[in-house]
């Protein structure tokens, strides 16, 4: 991406080559591109991005896993940008008749979709599909791998309350092993200059991951990102009980007192009340979980606009 300065404006140019289509992983997005996406999301939130719209475009959604926040916010984001929305449900699609996902994607492209948003249980699926179609694909969560849109809204929320990511102490706590949110957030935050550490049961940690001591680590934490405990892990014997998890690694009222008064509490949702955190903590002023949900619409507006129109010159007011 080359940058060309003109009077009173900044212009970013993305070359229109197939390898640059879509938004698949945080690892493929530079610091400047992350900042540009955040600036655009802020612009939409402030109601100043009316010229940056997708009027007449069509966004197709394909979610093979359950979702409330991600799917609904992508839908709202597309609608706010003026785009038409195609919502394809796997249970009622021709995939149940034996059609391949590649052919499904090709069908949506042939119908005139300008962008495809996919959530799927298979890691790397969006990058694989991108080799077969010429419209951009946005990764809405693939297996245990990546969740770039959740990462962007987390960054947006943090930036609203903290002056800089540099030297920010971020603690990600919970089921790190199975979390695509943890992978995306940790990579982006480190790229932006933050210090990232992890806490949680050893059975829910990737091999050789260094963990910090809970809850003592909360005393030096600027941002705490709690992860949803996937209850199916208990059935696999990775946890003894949900109550024990809450007592050992949950954010209780007692543990909350260890957090600095200006710290932030984030959670990608859905929240298991009484497991990752106590009911009262969810409504604590330091909790920005509802703000994350709100920011998700604007962050995804920025991603949709950039994915669809990113191969053109995108004007951002100075």
């Amino acid at each position: 991406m080359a940058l060309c300065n003109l009077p009173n404006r900044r212009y970013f140019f993305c070359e229109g080559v197939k390898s640059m289509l879509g938004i698949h992983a945080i690892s493929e997005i530079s610091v400047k591109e992350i900042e540009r996406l955040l600036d655009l999301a802020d612009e939409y939130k402030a109601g100043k991005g009316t010229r940056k719209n997708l009027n007449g475009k069509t966004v197709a959604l394909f979610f093979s896993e359950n979702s409330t926040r991600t799917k609904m916010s992508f839908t709202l984001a597309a609608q706010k940008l003026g785009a038409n929305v195609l919502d394809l449900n796997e249970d009622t699609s021709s995939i149940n008749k034996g059609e391949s996902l590649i052919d499904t994607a090709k069908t949506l492209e042939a119908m005139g979709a300008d962008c495809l948003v996919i959530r799927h249980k298979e890691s790397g699926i969006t990058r694989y599909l991108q080799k077969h179609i010429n419209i951009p694909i946005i990764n809405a969560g693939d297996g245990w791998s990546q969740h770039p849109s959740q990462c962007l809204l987390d960054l947006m929320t943090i930036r609203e309350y903290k002056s800089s990511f540099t030297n920010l102490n971020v603690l990600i706590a919970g089921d790190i092993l199975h979390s695509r949110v943890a992978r995306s957030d940790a990579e982006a935050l480190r790229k932006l200059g933050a210090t990232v550490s992890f806490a949680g049961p050893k059975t829910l940690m990737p091999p050789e991951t260094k963990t910090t001591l809970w809850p003592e680590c909360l005393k030096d934490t600027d941002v705490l990102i709690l992860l949803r405990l996937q209850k199916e892990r208990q059935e696999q014997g990775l946890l003894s009980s949900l109550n024990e998890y809450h007592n050992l690694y949950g954010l209780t009222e007692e543990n909350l007192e260890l957090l600095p008064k200006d710290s932030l509490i984030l959670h990608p949702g859905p929240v298991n009340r009484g497991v990752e955190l106590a009911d009262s903590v969810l409504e604590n002023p330091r909790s920005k979980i509802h703000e994350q949900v709100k920011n998700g619409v604007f962050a995804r507006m920025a991603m949709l606009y950039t994915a669809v129109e990113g191969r053109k010159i995108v004007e951002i007011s100075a």
Side-chain angles (χ1 to χ4, degrees), residues 164-170 185-186 188-196:
S164 172
F165 290 103
T166 304
N167 298 323
L168 204 63
N169 289 322
V170 181
D185 279 7
L189 286 162
R190 284 170 173 160
K191 194 181 291 189
L192 291 166
T195 299
V196 180

Side-chain angles (χ1 to χ4, degrees), residues 164-221:
S164 172
F165 290 103
T166 304
N167 298 323
L168 204 63
N169 289 322
V170 181
L171 175 65
I172 304 178
D175 186 357
I176 310 297
L177 178 62
H178 304 99
S179 177
R180 53 196 173 205
V181 175
R183 286 173 174 79
S184 293
D185 279 7
E187 186 167 4
L189 286 162
R190 284 170 173 160
K191 194 181 291 189
L192 291 166
T195 299
V196 180
S197 54
F198 304 100
K202 289 184 178 180
T203 55
L204 298 179
M205 289 289 160
E208 301 180 4
T209 299
K210 184 179 179 181
T211 60
T212 188
L213 190 62
W214 178 279
E216 288 80 0
C217 57
L218 295 174
K219 292 184 293 184
D220 300 317
T221 296

Side-chain angles (χ1 to χ4, degrees), residues 73-310:
S73 59
F74 263 119
T75 301
L76 281 170
Q79 292 171 341
K80 283 179 175 289
L81 291 169
N84 301 309
V85 179
L86 295 177
D87 185 0
L88 181 63
N89 189 313
E90 182 174 10
D91 293 337
T92 57
S93 74
S94 292
I95 286 180
N96 280 338
K97 297 179 179 179
E99 183 175 65
S100 71
L101 190 54
I102 292 175
D103 287 335
T104 298
K106 284 180 174 289
T107 297
L108 293 169
E109 180 182 23
M111 287 179 177
D114 297 287
C115 180
L116 183 56
V117 181
I118 296 181
R119 169 170 286 191
H120 202 276
K121 63 182 179 181
E122 298 294 337
S123 298
I125 191 67
T126 64
R127 189 40 99 179
Y128 171 72
L129 287 176
Q130 193 69 84
K131 297 177 181 179
H132 300 278
I133 63 174
N134 293 301
I135 59 173
I137 297 175
I138 294 178
N139 183 356
D142 63 326
W144 300 349
S145 180
Q146 288 284 316
H147 201 339
S149 69
Q150 179 67 46
C151 177
L152 190 66
L153 73 89
D154 289 346
L155 296 177
M156 181 182 179
T157 306
I158 293 170
R159 197 170 76 156
E160 287 182 345
Y161 294 94
K162 299 296 181 182
S163 59
S164 172
F165 290 103
T166 304
N167 298 323
L168 204 63
N169 289 322
V170 181
L171 175 65
I172 304 178
D175 186 357
I176 310 297
L177 178 62
H178 304 99
S179 177
R180 53 196 173 205
V181 175
R183 286 173 174 79
S184 293
D185 279 7
E187 186 167 4
L189 286 162
R190 284 170 173 160
K191 194 181 291 189
L192 291 166
T195 299
V196 180
S197 54
F198 304 100
K202 289 184 178 180
T203 55
L204 298 179
M205 289 289 160
E208 301 180 4
T209 299
K210 184 179 179 181
T211 60
T212 188
L213 190 62
W214 178 279
E216 288 80 0
C217 57
L218 295 174
K219 292 184 293 184
D220 300 317
T221 296
D222 299 308
V223 180
L224 171 62
I225 302 176
L226 297 168
L227 301 173
R228 180 179 73 88
L229 187 64
Q230 301 174 37
K231 295 182 180 180
E232 58 270 27
R233 307 303 168 201
Q234 187 179 359
E235 297 173 3
Q236 297 176 14
L238 299 179
L239 294 169
S240 56
S241 74
L242 298 180
N243 284 336
E244 181 175 321
Y245 178 88
H246 180 66
N247 291 332
L248 292 177
Y249 294 101
L251 187 60
T252 62
E253 281 283 357
E254 182 180 2
N255 291 341
L256 181 65
E257 294 302 313
L258 298 174
L259 276 172
K261 298 301 181 183
D262 62 345
S263 62
L264 305 179
I265 301 168
L266 306 183
H267 192 301
V271 174
N272 294 309
R273 291 173 179 258
V275 180
E276 297 101 34
L277 61 138
D279 270 354
S280 56
V281 174
L282 187 60
E283 306 304 328
N284 186 276
R286 279 172 281 185
S287 171
K288 305 304 176 186
I289 297 172
H290 298 309
E291 192 68 21
Q292 286 176 274
V293 176
K294 180 179 180 179
N295 286 340
V297 175
F298 305 110
R300 288 168 177 128
M301 288 174 71
M303 294 180 75
L304 284 169
Y305 182 79
T306 299
V308 175
E309 301 290 353

